[in-house]
Amino acid sequence: MPLAVYILALSVFALGTSEFMLSGLLPPIADDMGVTIPQAGLLISAFAIGMVVGAPLLAVATLRLPRRTTLVSLIAVFGLGQIAGALAPTYAVLFASRIVSALACAGFWAVGAAVAIAMVPVTARARALAVMIGGLSIANVLGVPAGAFLGERLGWRSAFWAVGAASAIALVGVLTLIPRIPLPDEKPQLRREVSIYRDAQVRLTVALVMLAAGGVFCTFSYLSPLLTDVAGLDKGWVPSVLALFGVGALIGTTIGGRVADAHLFGVLLSGTAASTTVLVALALLGQYAVAAVVLSFLLGVTCFFTAPALNARLFNLAGAAPTLAGATTTAAFNLGNTGGPWVGGTVIDAGLGYPATAWAGAAMTATGLGVAAVSLRLKRRTRASRVVVSMNKKAEKADRTNNPVRNDV
């Protein structure tokens, strides 16, 4: 595995830490900026909105640009966004910095995945992507708790400075270790790729991803105040619990990734049902410290257990649209990450308390379970979408007439 792939993983570590670390920093940010915790929670939604917009936009906009130059530009903009956040004098400036950082993050994900694939033989592509995505898992295990720890000891701005420093290290690595990647000979036909959205199964899977992610992040975004104000834990416990969530996420991803290929819908249905159960239990037992800690760990397991299957389902359906498949997956997850914190903030503003975020999250994942069941029933009845089958045949025909994939990097 080329060292450059691990540099991409380091970059993803910085990106993922920035995206999720606010879950442990909402109270100090709210106090410093003079806003409510639900308003501070909208900063999480702002990042997710930037990811939703940035993934397809930058995937298309950077198609003909040199890959290494694009990665350098995006990680530099991302790092500057972290510095802007650390220096933000007002909530509005901080909000804007999150959107800019998210746009750069989305673009880096889209281009970085293509670069990781181009640097290895066909037989090592899945492993290369697993290494790159592993940076996100490590961000949940180490980066997010470290951000909460720094926020507790040195103030929330220190967490932004730390991510900015990690981005600078990643920038140096990209500059020195990412090789020149040749551009594809044939420009993708975007008009043909857009037709994947006519497929009902694609729309159902996008809805499932949104609901599964949104239900979990409806609660996870406000986990810090739930642990301190409801469960009665000291603030010093928050980084440890977030780390425990990250460990659960790593375990869930590992197990789900091994099982999903053989039992994709089994993972989707069981994982979504398990997330719903954990959220209901958290709503009922969140006032007890031990239960809150254990359930936070289990929430990480169940949420990320379904993630490989959700990704695989969308790529299976939209694989004939290589430009938009990854962007659609990223956008769908982040639509959930946008809606979840907003729903959670709404129920808190309504005076229902932090446990109500778990009830709202459970309602979203339970709806997602219903969507998964409809998708499975439709799959059994129709077997395959005519839209997807037609596109796959066209893609196979193009593969036979064009040069094979180059692995000369």
Side-chain angles (χ1 to χ4, degrees):
M1 189 60 55
L3 180 59
V5 176
Y6 292 96
I7 293 298
L8 292 174
L10 171 63
S11 304
V12 169
F13 169 79
L15 302 178
T17 298
S18 179
E19 181 174 4
F20 298 121
M21 70 181 181
L22 261 65
S23 60
L25 299 174
L26 292 186
I29 290 176
D31 290 341
D32 189 31
M33 292 293 178
V35 297
T36 65
I37 286 182
Q39 286 175 320
L42 290 178
L43 294 169
I44 299 173
S45 295
F47 198 99
I49 290 171
M51 291 283 286
V52 170
V53 175
L57 181 65
L58 289 169
V60 173
T62 62
L63 274 176
R64 306 306 298 176
L65 297 178
R67 291 316 196 201
R68 181 170 58 186
T69 302
T70 302
L71 289 176
V72 168
S73 301
L74 290 171
I75 195 66
V77 171
F78 176 81
L80 291 173
Q82 303 309 298
I83 295 173
L87 297 173
T90 64
Y91 175 80
V93 174
L94 180 58
F95 194 94
S97 75
R98 295 297 289 170
I99 294 179
V100 171
S101 296
L103 290 171
C105 177
F108 194 97
W109 266 107
V111 178
V115 170
I117 287 175
M119 288 190 295
V120 298
V122 174
T123 54
R125 286 180 172 182
R127 184 171 160 231
L129 285 174
V131 170
M132 182 177 169
I133 295 171
L136 184 61
S137 297
I138 297 173
N140 277 291
V141 176
L142 297 178
V144 174
F149 178 83
L150 287 173
E152 177 67 23
R153 300 299 191 279
L154 302 175
W156 65 269
R157 296 177 189 270
S158 65
F160 280 78
W161 284 114
V163 176
S167 303
I169 296 172
L171 173 61
V172 173
V174 172
L175 275 170
T176 57
L177 293 172
I178 299 295
R180 176 184 172 274
I181 306 297
L183 293 172
D185 294 328
E186 181 182 352
K187 188 174 182 179
Q189 300 178 23
L190 296 178
R191 182 176 297 178
R192 189 188 75 184
E193 291 193 15
V194 169
S195 64
I196 64 171
Y197 299 114
R198 299 204 315 265
D199 179 26
Q201 285 283 27
V202 171
R203 297 195 298 271
L204 283 171
T205 306
V206 168
L208 172 57
V209 171
M210 290 168 53
L211 290 165
V216 171
F217 279 90
C218 179
T219 303
F220 180 75
S221 300
Y222 302 97
L223 189 59
S224 176
L226 190 150
L227 292 171
T228 55
D229 295 3
V230 178
L233 288 171
D234 184 83
K235 292 181 180 179
W237 276 92
V238 172
S240 299
V241 178
L242 292 176
L244 199 59
F245 176 92
V247 172
L250 191 58
I251 293 172
T253 302
T254 302
I255 299 174
R258 291 179 178 273
V259 179
D261 284 334
H263 307 284
L264 191 143
F265 270 95
V267 171
L268 290 178
L269 293 168
S270 63
T272 308
S275 291
T276 303
T277 303
V278 171
L279 287 167
V280 169
L282 189 60
L284 294 172
L285 304 173
Q287 60 185 317
Y288 303 106
V290 174
V293 171
V294 172
L295 290 170
S296 296
F297 166 75
L298 293 177
L299 188 61
V301 174
T302 60
C303 170
F304 281 81
F305 174 72
T306 58
L310 290 169
N311 276 283
R313 179 62 176 158
L314 263 178
F315 272 99
N316 289 346
L317 291 169
T323 303
L324 293 180
T328 299
T329 304
T330 300
F333 271 104
N334 283 281
L335 281 170
N337 294 351
T338 303
W342 178 80
V343 171
T346 299
V347 299
I348 294 170
D349 282 338
L352 300 177
Y354 295 116
T357 62
W359 284 118
M364 295 177 73
T365 54
T367 305
L369 184 60
V371 171
V374 171
S375 180
L376 176 58
R377 183 176 181 182
L378 184 62
K379 178 178 180 292
R380 287 173 173 172
R381 289 174 56 187
T382 60
R383 291 297 175 185
S385 163
R386 286 178 293 179
V387 173
V388 172
V389 168
S390 175
M391 290 186 65
N392 280 329
K393 286 182 178 178
K394 291 178 181 178
E396 289 171 3
K397 183 178 180 180
D399 285 341
R400 287 193 297 269
T401 57
N402 292 326
N403 294 327
V405 176
R406 290 180 295 181
N407 295 297
D408 56 349
V409 180

